[in-house]
Amino acid sequence: MLAGKTERRPRGELARVLVVDDEADIRELLDLTLARMGLSADCAASVAEARLLLGQQRYQLCLTDMRLPDGEGLEIVRLIGERYGETPVAVITAFGSTQNAVAALKAGAFDYLAKPVALEQLRSLIKSALSLPRRRAGVVGDEAPGLAAQLIGHSAAIEHVRDMIEKLARTQAPVYISGESGTGKELAARLIHDQSARRAEPFVPVNCGAIPENLMESEFFGYRKGAFTGADGDREGFFQAAHGGTLFLDELADLPLPMQVKLLRAIQEKKIRKVGSTVEEGVDVRIISATHRLLSDCVDAGTFRQDLYYRVNVIELKMPPLREREEDVEPLVEALLVRICGAQPPRLQAQALTALKAYSFPGNVRELENILERATALCNDGTVALDDLQLAPEKTASDSVGRDGETLDDYINRVERQAILEALAKTAFNRTAAARLLGVTFRSLRYRIERLGIEE
């Protein structure tokens, strides 16, 4: 259908797509591709024509060029976001125009395509957009109530997180989740995936700080038989395992610089090469990343590439620390006690609950769960008392300084040793969990344990 024509094809209740492009050959290509997929299309050559059609017809998807004779494709992205929120919109940009693509994603676009348009990527995008769950009265799909219940609490901070997750689930944009250890960054990533068009495909979480540097490339991209000693057969990596779904890169800042270069190329080209292979293969994954550190600080320090930073941090989701969610402590305690003990959890004394609300929780929700697990094992008569919580006293550095004959190095080592021992005790000597609680990498924790002579 050519631009300017508003007649409708007699195709019953087929999904309708709005195509906006000032190039007739692109409109014809998109129209033909949609027709072969059993979809109906209306075409416009300008922002004005697109506005007219949007006012006359409800669309299940919009494909728009970025540069139009009377404006920018971003105008259409914003218009649809404000008035027709149910309609996902994807933009088509000039090849290599990363800045335009990022601007579109931040404005609310579902995804983007680069010219010349690759038909395989186009079909994949269309299928993903049309499979988005419908929003009805603030609920996303049939699974939303159960999913939303996993984010416990009613504070303004956690309500904002829920709203952001719903918005982020309706786009393919890379998401960077920031927040302290134990705030629920992986849970947020899973919720974004589970409410997205990719929900039927794999969600693959990867702890970047727990992979030995010499194995990183093969773990991420896979390897061919014979690529190195011990490679007895072909093996897929994280990217292939997450094909069609979401790859969650936790503690992204722990990646060494050489691996950051390879990751950047994989994200940009949407292709990877197995170790020992001479050919590249396409991969379709959505990247969600997280770290407890500030990535911008890592960029300033030279430990994280700026170009990769802009690729993964298209949209940021900030997870609030538990100390800023005091009103959420009580419902969290109730839910965690049920998870730990089942249908008949112990009762929490008022004094114990007051102490928990006043506690700073350096380990956030993860630390709260560990505290309650220990308390339920120690409590008597089905009641958790204040002493059962064994809360660590709130200390300052001055509380510990001044032992006779103690040098500064002795003091620092003593404090570090105590912090590590407490973290290991809270995590049942699970080093990976203890490293997360302490906000360091697994390798860093292992080095510190060896240096300080800590024995489990």
Side-chain angles (χ1 to χ4, degrees):
M1 185 179 296
L2 298 179
K5 294 185 179 181
T6 58
E7 63 269 26
R8 307 288 183 259
R9 291 176 179 171
R11 296 187 184 175
E13 296 299 322
L14 294 179
R16 301 195 71 83
V17 180
L18 174 61
V19 174
V20 189
D21 200 297
D22 61 335
E23 297 182 47
D25 55 343
I26 296 293
R27 291 198 302 270
E28 186 175 355
L29 171 65
L30 296 176
D31 189 18
L32 182 60
T33 302
L34 291 163
R36 287 177 175 173
M37 295 179 70
L39 304 171
S40 178
D42 292 334
C43 296
S46 65
V47 174
E49 289 184 14
R51 287 179 178 274
L52 179 63
L53 289 173
L54 284 166
Q56 298 174 347
Q57 175 71 41
R58 186 173 181 177
Y59 294 97
Q60 282 69 54
L61 171 64
C62 174
L63 301 171
T64 179
D65 193 9
M66 278 295 286
R67 294 186 177 181
L68 296 164
D70 58 344
E72 294 285 333
L74 287 179
E75 295 180 45
I76 297 175
V77 174
R78 296 189 181 101
L79 173 66
I80 289 177
E82 292 170 2
R83 300 185 186 179
Y84 315 100
E86 284 292 312
T87 303
V89 52
V91 298
I92 302 172
T93 73
F95 179 74
S97 183
T98 304
Q99 187 175 0
N100 285 340
V102 170
L105 292 172
K106 287 186 175 181
F110 171 74
D111 205 349
Y112 70 93
L113 289 169
K115 291 182 179 179
V117 177
L119 291 182
E120 183 178 349
Q121 291 184 0
L122 173 62
R123 294 190 188 100
S124 176
L125 182 151
I126 292 169
K127 289 177 182 178
S128 294
L130 295 179
S131 66
L132 278 171
R134 293 185 177 181
R135 294 183 292 186
R136 294 179 181 176
V139 176
V140 182
D142 296 333
E143 301 174 353
L147 293 172
Q150 297 179 45
L151 275 177
I152 299 167
H154 304 287
S155 64
I158 208 66
E159 290 291 354
H160 175 70
V161 169
R162 287 196 188 96
D163 291 342
M164 283 293 293
I165 286 175
E166 181 178 338
K167 293 176 181 177
L168 295 173
R170 299 187 66 80
T171 174
Q172 301 275 47
V175 176
Y176 165 56
I177 305 176
S178 61
E180 299 174 7
S181 295
T183 51
K185 296 187 290 293
E186 182 172 339
L187 172 59
R190 286 183 181 275
L191 291 174
I192 293 171
H193 171 80
D194 289 341
Q195 297 180 40
S196 74
R198 296 175 177 266
R199 61 193 180 281
E201 302 300 331
F203 174 88
V204 179
V206 177
N207 186 339
C208 298
I211 306 172
E213 187 171 345
N214 63 327
L215 296 179
M216 278 192 171
E217 187 174 1
S218 60
E219 288 292 308
F220 273 85
F221 307 134
Y223 56 80
R224 295 294 301 275
K225 180 180 179 180
F228 49 82
T229 303
D232 299 327
D234 291 356
R235 179 182 171 183
E236 294 187 341
F238 298 135
F239 270 83
Q240 295 98 325
H243 184 72
T246 302
L247 181 60
F248 174 57
L249 303 178
D250 197 8
E251 298 303 343
L252 183 68
D254 290 343
L255 285 180
L257 286 170
M259 189 61 207
Q260 291 178 29
V261 176
K262 295 169 182 175
L263 176 62
L264 174 64
R265 189 178 189 283
I267 294 173
Q268 286 183 162
E269 304 297 329
K270 297 184 179 179
K271 293 180 181 179
I272 57 95
R273 178 183 289 140
K274 289 182 177 179
V275 176
S277 176
T278 58
V279 297
E280 291 185 325
E281 55 184 277
V283 287
D284 172 26
V285 299
R286 182 186 190 180
I287 300 292
I288 300 180
S289 58
T291 177
H292 71 279
R293 288 190 268 174
L294 288 175
L295 272 186
S296 57
D297 289 349
C298 296
V299 172
D300 294 339
T303 60
F304 198 83
R305 291 180 62 95
Q306 188 175 52
D307 45 7
L308 180 58
Y309 171 77
Y310 288 123
R311 271 292 182 179
V312 299
N313 190 21
V314 173
I315 303 175
E316 182 177 356
L317 172 62
K318 296 181 180 180
M319 297 300 293
L322 186 54
R323 62 180 173 276
E324 296 178 4
R325 302 168 49 198
E326 181 182 328
E327 59 266 55
D328 293 339
V329 171
E330 186 170 359
L332 275 167
V333 167
E334 293 174 355
L336 289 171
L337 285 176
V338 170
R339 182 188 301 175
I340 294 167
C341 302
Q344 294 183 328
R347 183 179 62 87
L348 203 68
Q349 284 185 353
Q351 190 178 11
L353 180 59
T354 300
L356 285 175
K357 288 183 177 181
Y359 187 58
S360 64
F361 289 106
N364 293 291
V365 178
R366 188 181 295 122
E367 183 181 5
L368 173 60
E369 185 171 8
N370 289 334
I371 289 171
L372 293 175
E373 284 182 347
R374 180 175 61 242
T376 54
L378 296 175
C379 72
N380 295 313
D381 302 323
T383 302
V384 175
L386 175 60
D387 290 342
D388 297 327
L389 298 176
Q390 296 188 356
L391 296 180
E394 304 287 347
K395 294 181 180 179
T396 64
S398 60
D399 294 330
S400 304
V401 176
R403 293 188 179 183
D404 293 339
E406 185 177 58
T407 66
L408 177 61
D409 284 342
D410 292 338
Y411 164 67
I412 293 174
N413 288 337
R414 176 167 58 83
V415 173
E416 185 177 7
R417 179 186 179 88
Q418 183 62 30
I420 291 173
L421 287 171
E422 289 179 0
L424 289 170
K426 289 177 181 177
T427 59
F429 280 81
N430 182 317
R431 292 190 179 190
T432 300
R436 287 184 177 179
L437 190 61
L438 291 166
V440 299
T441 67
F442 177 81
R443 291 193 296 274
S444 175
L445 177 61
R446 183 174 59 189
Y447 165 76
R448 293 165 191 259
I449 288 175
E450 292 174 355
R451 179 174 60 80
L452 295 169
I454 296 174
E455 297 181 0
E456 297 184 13

